Amino acid sequence: MKANIVLLPGDGIGPEVVGEAVRVLDFIASKYNHTFEYKERLMGGCSIDAYGSSLTDETLADCQSADAVLLGAVGGPKWDDPTAKDRPERGLLALRKGLGVFANLRPVKVHPALMEWSPLKPEKLQGVDILVVRELTGGLYFGWPKGRDVKDGRERAVDTLEYYDYEIRRVMELAFNLAKGRKKKVTSVDKANVLESSRLWRQIATKVGKENPDIELEHTLVDTASMRLITGPAWMDVIVTENMFGDILTDEASVLAGSMGMLPSASLGESTVGLYEPIHGSAPDIAGKGIANPIGTILSTAMLLRHSLKLEAEATAIEKAVEETITNGARTADIGGKLTTRQMADEIIKRM
Ligand code: IPM
Ligand code: MG
């Protein structure tokens, strides 16, 4: 098959990990006889430096007309001025919104060989296989009003947690559909004892639950959910939640896997173009050293092949190769080894 993929390496370690993921894609293309055409574009801090904007209209248009977008990471101390008009993160949020990718899938699996890298006891990690479905284009990140002003002589800042019924329903339905191919259990996370938006969330979750009687639905408050992720993660399967709650819970969940560097994500929406990115950030402290773990990005390409290009066998081939590579003891610095980003990718490609 032929596919157009936009690459947005971004800032910090982004270009290093995306570079290795592209080598994996190229290997897949030659082995399985596909043609992947890449357009590489700037997004984030690098785009602010080059064009004065974290996401230009042209880049967004290129992404919208692609089959899939592969992103590295954005941000860094250079662009951290709180009074700056534009920030790298704004570009990422505008991209998610512009692509309409309302559901962010963040799978968390624990490889047995990496259990010692998790702060949790191994017995707590047995059987952990979680899929967090984070709502991505609404909630506290996008609600209006938002901003700063001076009121009654006081400086004030406002963010709004806003949801429409249809925004909750579509992500909820997607979570239920995904649960069908798994353990048939959905945990809907909210703060319905305090927030009005969460009470609407819970109401719609309950409705969608009734429409899917084969799926077990439970409601959990976000504070309890954050505790349960540590005390009993093996008990959770599909978690569906608000944008900001999902942002926080997925960083927490990532430590179960031993390192954030291991975890991929896929952002999907109504159109066919998907956005794929590792869940880690730009890691400015190790940027340019060639030692970042490329696995989160490589596994994101597997999700890209599966969800956007419907190439299940190719996706599985990557995931199996990563698993074998870890079983064989290949380790980058974040998981206690000395391999470079390139060497880790070589180990994976070798097993494909
Ligand atoms: C993530 C990141 C982003 C988010 C930042 C970089 C805007 O933390 O993808 O989880 O908050 O969504
Ligand atoms: Mg985050």
Side-chain angles (χ1 to χ4, degrees), residues 8 72 110 114 138 276:
L8 303 174
V110 184
L114 293 182
Y276 301 85

Side-chain angles (χ1 to χ4, degrees), residues 260-271:
M260 270 187 107
M262 298 292 300
L263 297 182
S265 88
S267 302
L268 309 174
E270 271 158 0
S271 85

Side-chain angles (χ1 to χ4, degrees), residues 96 106 134 141 246-248 250-251 260 279:
R96 290 170 176 171
R106 297 188 164 186
R134 168 186 174 194
Y141 276 47
D247 178 48
I248 297 168
T250 51
D251 265 32
M260 270 187 107
I279 85 152

Side-chain angles (χ1 to χ4, degrees), residues 144-215:
W144 198 259
K146 182 183 206 66
R148 291 176 66 148
D149 60 6
V150 177
K151 201 176 173 188
D152 306 326
R154 300 273 180 188
E155 261 197 275
R156 187 175 75 131
V158 180
D159 294 287
T160 302
L161 207 177
E162 172 187 57
Y163 270 114
Y164 283 89
D165 51 1
Y166 76 94
E167 295 178 294
I168 301 171
R169 178 170 269 279
R170 64 189 180 186
V171 74
M172 201 58 76
E173 284 174 348
L174 194 126
F176 273 82
N177 277 336
L178 290 163
K180 287 185 181 151
R182 298 172 53 96
K183 288 182 224 143
K184 299 193 165 34
K185 198 162 88 191
V186 170
T187 302
S188 171
V189 173
D190 62 36
K191 186 72 185 173
N193 54 347
V194 177
L195 301 175
E196 209 56 66
S197 56
S198 281
R199 288 192 275 273
L200 180 61
W201 183 280
R202 191 172 280 217
Q203 194 183 317
I204 293 171
T206 305
K207 262 192 217 160
V208 176
K210 290 215 172 91
E211 292 159 16
N212 292 276
D214 52 324
I215 306 286

Side-chain angles (χ1 to χ4, degrees), residues 107-334:
V108 180
K109 271 194 198 163
V110 184
H111 193 292
L114 293 182
M115 282 183 181
E116 58 168 324
W117 284 94
S118 169
L120 294 205
K121 298 190 184 83
E123 61 264 29
K124 289 243 191 284
L125 296 166
Q126 261 348 307
V128 168
D129 182 1
I130 299 172
L131 176 64
V132 182
V133 180
R134 168 186 174 194
E135 201 290 327
L136 202 62
T137 52
L140 195 55
Y141 276 47
F142 291 94
W144 198 259
K146 182 183 206 66
R148 291 176 66 148
D149 60 6
V150 177
K151 201 176 173 188
D152 306 326
R154 300 273 180 188
E155 261 197 275
R156 187 175 75 131
V158 180
D159 294 287
T160 302
L161 207 177
E162 172 187 57
Y163 270 114
Y164 283 89
D165 51 1
Y166 76 94
E167 295 178 294
I168 301 171
R169 178 170 269 279
R170 64 189 180 186
V171 74
M172 201 58 76
E173 284 174 348
L174 194 126
F176 273 82
N177 277 336
L178 290 163
K180 287 185 181 151
R182 298 172 53 96
K183 288 182 224 143
K184 299 193 165 34
K185 198 162 88 191
V186 170
T187 302
S188 171
V189 173
D190 62 36
K191 186 72 185 173
N193 54 347
V194 177
L195 301 175
E196 209 56 66
S197 56
S198 281
R199 288 192 275 273
L200 180 61
W201 183 280
R202 191 172 280 217
Q203 194 183 317
I204 293 171
T206 305
K207 262 192 217 160
V208 176
K210 290 215 172 91
E211 292 159 16
N212 292 276
D214 52 324
I215 306 286
E216 183 193 335
L217 166 69
E218 61 156 5
H219 305 281
T220 304
L221 297 172
V222 62
D223 45 356
T224 310
S226 76
M227 180 184 69
R228 288 237 317 263
L229 269 177
I230 300 300
T231 55
W235 196 80
M236 303 178 105
D237 187 31
V238 174
I239 297 175
V240 57
T241 192
E242 188 268 339
N243 200 343
M244 173 94 165
F245 296 162
D247 178 48
I248 297 168
L249 291 180
T250 51
D251 265 32
E252 186 191 359
S254 76
V255 305
L256 303 174
S259 163
M260 270 187 107
M262 298 292 300
L263 297 182
S265 88
S267 302
L268 309 174
E270 271 158 0
S271 85
T272 53
V273 29
L275 171 64
Y276 301 85
E277 47 178 318
I279 85 152
H280 64 68
S282 61
D285 52 322
I286 57 162
K289 295 189 179 157
I291 57 167
N293 187 346
I295 290 181
T297 316
I298 290 172
L299 289 175
S300 298
T301 65
M303 294 186 90
L304 183 159
L305 295 171
R306 171 174 298 121
H307 293 287
S308 283
L309 308 185
K310 311 292 174 213
L311 298 175
E312 180 61 35
E314 289 82 337
T316 311
I318 295 178
E319 288 163 351
K320 279 185 74 178
V322 167
E323 215 175 296
E324 274 172 36
T325 302
I326 291 297
T327 306
N328 257 270
R331 301 282 185 272
T332 40
D334 57 316

